Each structure stands twice: as structure tokens, then as C-alpha cells.
Amino acid sequence: MQQSPLIQTPLAGCAELDHLLYAALDSVPFGLIVLNADRSIRLMTASAAALLGFSGNVGVSGVPVPDFVAGCGALNRGSLAVLRAALAGEADASSDILLSAQSLAGQRTIAADIRPAGALGWVLSLEDITHTQQTQDWLLEHASSDPVTGLWNRQHFLLMLHDQLGTAAAEGTNAVFLLGLQRLKHVNDTFGLAAGDTLLRLIADRLLTLTDRHDMLARLSGDEFALAVNRAGGRASITAFAVQLAAALAKPFVIDGQSVTLHAHVGIACAPADGDTADALLANAGLALLETTTRGATATCFFDPALNERARARRALAADLRAALDRDEFELHYQPQVDVHRGCVTGMEALIRWRSPQRGLVPPGEFVSLAEQIGLIDGIGDWVLREACRQAVRWPEQVTVAVNASPLQFETGHFARCVAEALTETGLDARRLEIEITESLLLRDTGAVTGTLAALHEMGVRLVLDDFGTGYASLSQLSRFRFDKIKIDRSFISPIDSSVENSAIVRSIAALGVSLGIPTTAEGVETAAQLEQIKANGCTCVQGYFFSRPVPSADVHNLLVRLHHPPVFAAA
Ligand code: C2E
Ligand code: MG
Ligand code: MG
């Protein structure tokens, strides 16, 4: 085998190294340099010379360190200094250094390992780790950041927060803000995923304008952002900042030329009172966020130890609720709806109750929203639908049944099919079924919602807009969807006999119904005076305790008899 021309001429004493050994040294992928005890270069392999850009010759007497370092043409000034220092290190100490070298292929990173070889000298090995380094950098970057917004991801956020909490010198208040954004799903559904991503980037940009370079902003999951800050000024400054965050996010975003307004909620936890670890702070900020979204009223909320108890109770309720459907613990109660002009019962609204062995009779206000949050509403809603149709088919033909549907049931895309199946299975005429939806459904103006409303309409099922006046439904939305009935929310009726404003609102909604050709029902009529007022205001139908509270299905027959004979009040 021929000696490689790039192997530097060995010094005296190495002459016995035969050609085979030269070739072997030269074939290893990393560079190798052998130094004498005085650290002059005794031997250098071709790959070592290539990595360092060393163009000189080792020669018979070796190369002194200053000349060797000066000859490493590929190294930048910083790396030359590092190499010089390492070669001047302690006599028996090894050292690992990183060098930066310029090559035709671009910037390279070289790992150099210098080890003593007994008293004889030193061995310096060199390895090009550019590729490994790049892979590591890529992995680090992608393992720590959110690909959509470029913000930190959950793992990295927790890591940084952990470090920040561990910094003894931190003087201000360490606070974690958890930001929940509702309606992001609506944007994805309406404008597509790319628009959803654009919105996330706009949100990130807007939040970044409010933060300083020490703040840590992360996107934790779909619509959840977290921000960790350290602020002087205690709780007051944290509160002011939270309000600022919520206000910034409440301003509209423009996507595809359309204005989108989000509902932002902020949960806050401060260290050390609300937790002294990153995980505890984030979890408690999460409980505070949950509190703002379930209460709905305020945009920001601080963690409070009582929230732990509420979360525990909520978990217990959720666990019981999950089992309730299988254990057949739900029942429907019915409340009559009375025609103002004819004085007779036209329909019954089905209202769910949960007869829990431990909790007693639980009203829907205590579990429907939780069922929506934990994904149970579909199953429960389907049961309500079938049960209501099954019972209504036994009532007099002119009596309709109204079933409340959660907006989430519309998002599955198979609600219309469930309704059709319930009708077929029970034999109930579609025209005797009313589906009550709330205004919030209209805000989810997705293809699935519109399609489902149209399919129900097509089947002959009547669509009712429930709790009208409490939400955001506008007149334009009323004309876009074809409703068969509008129910005026109870909050306008209860004080109707004492409030001129409420009376005026009811009158104008009733007038709107007349002009659109849609009957209006007043909910929550409790007194004869309210009934008189409702009639005077032009509503076509009433529902409320004045006629009957909701009754169990077994009492429906007696209720119908009582309300029909004689008519509940003289026909107008
Ligand atoms: P809603 O659909 O607006 O039903 C009317 C609510 O007002 C019922 O409360 C009823 O008992 C109550 N109410 C009726 N008349 C009066 C009155 O004169 N005075 C007073 N103070 N209250 C009156 P309930 O049964 O507790 O239901 C509350 C809400 O729960 C319902 O409001 C509806 O949104 C929801 N809900 C009930 N059943 C179901 C269901 O099967 N599925 C879904 N998704 N939601 C349901
Ligand atoms: Mg209702
Ligand atoms: Mg209602």
C-alpha cells in the first residue's frame, strides 16, 4: 500500500511506522495529531490537516505550537485563541473544545479532544460535527417552539418558568397568565385552517407587542397561550397587565378581509402564594381560567384556593355524570305552552332532570354546561330527543313537543340524522317536533349549522329561537335563518309589570314577530298581571309557572285535562 502524500513526514523515531499504519491512520474519518511532550507537532493525518486548513509541513523536527496554530488557515480568530489556550493547558489535563472552521462547503463545527499520552506526549483528535450539531439545533428549536407562531411550546415554557422560579434574585412578582381564546374553532370552520393559523400568528404578534424581552410567551395548545412575567408593583400591576392583555385580544382581527372578534379570558396565578413550581402555577392559572369561562362574566380571574375545591367538586360531578346515562338516571319533565288567543295548550317543552341517587333531582342548569364541556352532550341530547318523541306520540295530536338542543350537537354534523331516526323509531309526525336552539348557535355560522337547520326544516321539524334577547342575535340573523317561533327570554318578562323598558322590548319583539310572520312565546309568566301585559304586548303564546311548573311525564295527562277543561282563560 502506498503512503498517502498528505500524511506529514514522521519525525525521527517514528520512521518505523510502516506504510500500512500510515494508511490506517489516514483512513479514519476523524483527524489525528500526535504531539511531543513539549507539544510540538509530531504527526498529523491528512484529514486533520484538511479540517484545520493546515498547509505547512510537519518536517523532521516537528512544528512548534505557535507555528502550528498560525498555520491553521481554516480557523477563525476566536477558534485560534481557543486552540492556543487548550494546547497551553495543564500538563496532565484533557480538554474538549469546539472550533469553528471555514471550508469550501461552508462553516464547519469541529470537536477537538486533547489527551495526554503518558509522559510521551499528547494526542489531539478532531471530528467534524457540523451535521450532528445542525441536527441537534434543529431538534432543539423544533422541540421547544410552536411551529405555527414560533413562540415557545409547553415543555420549553415550563422549563424556562422552572429556571425563573429558581432564580433567587428575582425581586418582583412572578406571575403566569393563561389566555383562553374562544371562537378560534369558528374561524377554522368558517375560513379554513390556513386562516386559523394566520389568526394565531396575529394573536402572537399582538401579545408580543405587550411583552418585554424578559417575559416568556408560549402557545400551549390550540387556543391556549401562556405568558410568564416578573413585574414590580405587586398584584396591582399584575391586575393592570391582565386587563391590558384581555383588552388587546378583544379588539377585532382582520382575516381574509373579514373582521373577527374573539372572546378572551385570562387566568392568573402568582408565585409563591399560588404555587412554587412551574407545574403548580400553570395548573392553578388553568383553574382560574376555567372559572372565567364557566362564569362567563369577567375576562380575568386570579387563582383562589377555593377554586381547588370547586375543581374537585366539578371532577366528582363529571365522574357521576359520565355514569348517569348508562344508569338511566335522566328523566324529562314537561311544561305547557299556552296559546294566548285560543286559551289552550299547543305544546309541551321537554326539560331534562337528573335523578341522581347521591345528589337528588339535579336541574339542567347544574349539569348541561358541564356535559357540553366533557363531551357528553351528544349522547344525552340523543337520549332526550328519542325519549321526548316516544312520550309525545301518546299525547293528543294537536300538542307539540319542544326539545332543547345544545349548539354542540349541531357541530357533529349528524344531528339531523339523529332527529330523523328518532321520528322514524317513535312514529312521531315531524310537524309535532320543535327544536329549540339559542342565539349562540347563530354565532357559530358554520356550514354544518346552516346545513343542519336546512335539513330539519326540510323534514318538517319546526325551529324555535330560545331565550331571544339575551345573546347577540341580530335582526339580519333572524332573516337569514327561517325560524318558526321566537321565545322571548324570561328576564324580560319577570319584571314586565314594573318595568316600562322591558314592556317596550317585549312589545317590539312581538311586533317584529308579526312583521316576519313568526309567532312569539313569552317565557316565565308567573302572574295574572304579567299574562295580561303579555297579551296586551302582542305575544302569541305563553309559558310559565302561572300555568304550571314542569311536571314529570306521568303527570302530563292530568295537566292537559286540567288546562283544557275548562280552557285556561277566556279566549281573546
Ligand atoms: P329554557 O329552555 O329556556 O327553559 C325554560 C326554563 O325556565 C326552565 O328551567 C323552566 O323550568 C324555567 N321556567 C319556566 N317558567 C318559569 C317561570 O315562570 N319562572 C321561573 N323562574 N322559571 C321558569 P330548567 O328546566 O331549569 O331549564 C333551564 C335550561 O336548561 C333551559 O332553559 C334549557 O336551556 C336547558 N335545558 C333544559 N333541558 C335541556 C335539554 O334537554 N337539553 C339541553 N341542551 N338543554 C336543556
Ligand atoms: Mg327552551
Ligand atoms: Mg328559554
Side-chain angles (χ1 to χ4, degrees):
M1 193 175 288
Q2 206 187 350
Q3 180 183 339
S4 159
L6 276 174
I7 292 278
Q8 306 301 304
T9 310
L11 295 177
C14 288
E16 68 274 14
L17 288 175
D18 61 16
H19 290 180
L20 190 59
L21 186 51
Y22 279 130
L25 285 176
D26 224 6
S27 67
V28 291
F30 50 86
L32 209 60
I33 295 175
V34 178
L35 298 94
N36 293 310
D38 66 357
R39 305 195 194 183
S40 59
I41 307 301
R42 183 169 178 180
L43 179 145
M44 184 185 302
T45 62
S47 36
L51 284 172
L52 299 173
F54 186 81
S55 51
N57 215 325
V58 171
V60 176
S61 56
V63 181
V65 169
D67 295 352
F68 163 62
V69 173
C72 293
L75 300 188
N76 61 25
R77 280 177 59 184
S79 293
L80 289 174
V82 170
L83 182 59
R84 199 178 296 116
L87 291 174
E90 293 287 311
D92 55 352
S94 310
S95 58
D96 290 320
I97 52 173
L98 280 185
L99 303 171
S100 193
Q102 193 64 40
S103 78
L104 286 177
Q107 192 77 20
R108 320 295 299 167
T109 304
I110 297 164
D113 177 37
I114 305 173
R115 285 176 191 283
L120 293 174
W122 298 77
V123 176
L124 166 58
S125 60
L126 301 158
E127 188 181 1
D128 183 343
I129 59 161
T130 312
H131 188 64
T132 318
Q133 189 82 15
Q134 281 168 347
T135 310
Q136 272 176 1
D137 289 350
W138 189 91
L139 282 175
L140 196 67
E141 189 190 330
H142 287 78
S144 60
S145 66
D146 161 43
V148 178
T149 59
L151 300 179
W152 301 120
N153 64 16
R154 175 184 287 272
Q155 288 77 9
H156 198 73
F157 176 79
L158 284 169
L159 216 61
M160 291 191 305
L161 183 57
H162 173 79
D163 287 349
Q164 171 153 330
L165 295 175
T167 312
E171 286 184 349
T173 305
N174 283 318
V176 171
F177 298 83
L178 198 57
L179 311 162
L181 301 161
Q182 288 168 359
R183 304 204 62 215
L184 190 68
K185 184 174 181 326
H186 165 80
V187 172
N188 282 338
D189 290 345
T190 312
F191 302 104
L193 286 178
D197 286 355
T198 306
L199 177 60
L200 286 170
R201 283 189 280 272
L202 291 174
I203 294 165
D205 290 348
R206 199 174 281 182
L207 290 172
L208 282 170
T209 61
L210 297 174
T211 58
D212 69 33
R213 65 191 178 87
H214 300 297
D215 296 344
M216 297 176 283
L217 180 61
R219 178 173 166 238
L220 303 187
S221 64
D223 55 0
E224 220 175 45
F225 289 74
L227 179 62
V229 304
N230 181 279
R231 289 279 188 281
R235 218 174 153 98
S237 76
I238 299 293
T239 308
F241 188 50
V243 171
Q244 212 185 339
L245 285 173
L249 291 174
K251 289 190 194 134
F253 292 88
V254 178
I255 296 164
D256 289 352
Q258 301 231 31
S259 171
V260 174
T261 307
L262 300 170
H263 300 293
H265 296 272
V266 186
I268 312 152
C270 298
D274 303 338
D276 51 8
T277 65
D279 284 316
L281 274 181
L282 194 60
N284 287 341
L287 286 181
L289 177 64
L290 187 66
E291 188 64 10
T292 62
T293 45
T294 44
R295 272 209 251 119
T298 51
T300 65
C301 177
F302 273 92
F303 171 74
D304 178 311
L307 295 183
N308 268 329
E309 178 47 33
R310 246 180 269 177
R312 197 205 51 74
R314 189 175 171 276
R315 279 197 298 274
L317 185 67
D320 280 1
L321 195 55
R322 281 182 212 282
L325 198 57
D326 289 339
R327 293 190 193 141
D328 210 12
E329 290 174 3
F330 293 116
E331 55 187 63
L332 292 181
H333 286 201
Y334 296 91
Q335 189 177 33
Q337 300 169 329
V338 177
D339 184 300
V340 171
H341 301 293
R342 289 182 289 140
C344 62
V345 174
T346 57
M348 294 279 191
E349 177 171 9
L351 295 158
I352 193 168
R353 269 88 182 103
W354 173 18
R355 195 170 291 279
S356 158
Q358 300 81 27
R359 301 165 190 270
L361 195 65
V362 188
E366 288 178 28
F367 67 89
V368 165
S369 144
L370 179 62
E372 288 177 335
Q373 288 164 30
I374 62 176
L376 291 182
I377 198 64
D378 233 10
I380 294 178
D382 201 28
W383 177 86
V384 170
L385 198 57
R386 282 162 207 267
E387 182 67 4
C389 292
R390 194 177 66 78
Q391 291 179 347
V393 83
R394 294 192 240 134
W395 302 340
E397 270 189 4
Q398 70 279 12
V399 179
T400 58
V401 65
V403 170
N404 292 282
S406 155
L408 295 187
Q409 288 173 264
F410 276 72
E411 297 206 336
T412 59
H414 55 246
F415 183 62
R417 199 186 64 227
C418 292
V419 172
E421 283 172 7
L423 291 171
T424 312
E425 270 173 35
T426 58
L428 185 75
D429 184 340
R431 286 166 302 180
R432 289 182 60 199
L433 177 63
E434 293 180 346
I435 299 292
E436 295 195 1
I437 59 162
T438 53
E439 290 164 296
S440 64
L441 183 74
L442 303 185
L443 293 176
R444 303 170 188 243
D445 179 11
T446 64
V449 170
T450 320
T452 304
L453 287 173
L456 293 173
H457 195 71
E458 188 70 16
M459 271 182 238
V461 172
R462 285 141 53 93
L463 301 173
V464 178
L465 185 56
D466 202 358
D467 303 342
F468 186 70
T470 51
Y472 307 90
S474 65
L475 297 182
S476 67
Q477 277 159 333
L478 268 188
S479 56
R480 210 147 37 90
F481 295 95
R482 170 68 213 170
F483 286 101
D484 299 286
K485 192 192 276 183
I486 297 172
K487 293 178 82 173
I488 306 170
D489 191 67
R490 177 153 57 89
S491 56
F492 299 105
I493 312 298
S494 325
I496 196 172
D497 34 5
S498 56
S499 158
V500 178
E501 290 82 14
N502 279 322
S503 185
I505 290 171
V506 172
R507 206 166 34 247
S508 51
I509 298 176
L512 175 75
V514 170
S515 62
L516 291 173
I518 306 175
T520 44
T521 297
E523 296 186 283
V525 174
E526 294 183 355
T527 64
Q530 285 170 352
L531 177 61
E532 284 315 307
Q533 186 88 40
I534 293 297
K535 280 163 75 180
N537 284 336
C539 290
T540 46
C541 199
V542 285
Q543 180 177 341
Y545 292 173
F546 179 69
F547 298 110
S548 169
R549 287 180 177 258
V551 299
S553 61
D555 297 344
V556 167
H557 178 74
N558 287 344
L559 180 71
L560 286 174
V561 170
R562 173 170 77 79
L563 293 179
H564 268 286
H565 305 290
V568 285
F569 54 86

